Amino acid sequence: MKSLIKRTITLSLLSVNPLLFAQPVVLINTFSVEASKDAETLAYWESARDVLVEQPGYISTTLHRSLSADATYRYVNVANWESQKHFLDAISVMRNELPALDIEGVTADPNLYEVIRH
């Protein structure tokens, strides 16, 4: 009986506030970039970062550049968010404030991940 009550309380809390038990997510965004588009790509990334760091649920971000000139992905962005909902809300704000990434020779492939092992 006690476990049924605990389960009922937990379910009711989840229905009241889904963020209460939300799991953190990690954005991993890979960028294929022609060398001549580095400066333009970095300027866009910085503009996007400046919007996103101000949003609720933002934890951190790091941008990595490949040491290999022939790497498939010149840049990899890793960002941590408190929840998927926080991330999606932040992206909505960013899309309203910035034009879409539309630089010839640049493609991005953003995906959300959950941590499953440490």
Side-chain angles (χ1 to χ4, degrees):
M1 182 68 151
K2 284 184 180 179
S3 69
L4 177 61
I5 294 170
K6 285 182 182 179
R7 192 173 23 226
T8 303
I9 291 170
T10 301
L11 289 174
S12 68
L13 286 172
L14 284 172
S15 65
V16 171
N17 185 356
L19 289 178
L20 187 60
F21 294 99
Q23 296 295 314
V25 294
V26 178
L27 167 73
I28 300 177
N29 193 358
T30 55
F31 296 89
S32 294
V33 178
E34 292 179 6
S36 64
K37 302 297 181 174
D38 271 357
E40 197 173 349
T41 302
L42 290 173
Y44 184 88
W45 181 87
E46 290 170 350
S47 295
R49 180 215 44 215
D50 291 348
V51 171
L52 295 173
V53 300
E54 299 297 324
Q55 303 310 307
Y58 169 85
I59 298 171
S60 66
T61 191
T62 54
L63 183 65
H64 308 262
R65 181 177 51 216
S66 172
L67 295 175
S68 174
D70 65 344
T72 302
Y73 304 110
R74 175 100 171 120
Y75 296 102
V76 175
N77 181 61
V78 179
N80 295 283
W81 289 86
E82 289 180 14
S83 72
Q84 183 175 1
K85 181 174 181 351
H86 280 113
F87 172 76
L88 295 173
D89 290 347
I91 289 299
S92 179
V93 169
M94 184 190 81
R95 288 183 178 147
N96 286 330
E97 292 188 22
L98 291 176
L101 175 64
D102 188 23
I103 303 170
E104 188 175 332
V106 176
T107 59
D109 185 22
N111 291 282
L112 286 180
Y113 294 86
E114 62 183 339
V115 174
I116 62 168
R117 302 279 192 279
H118 284 279

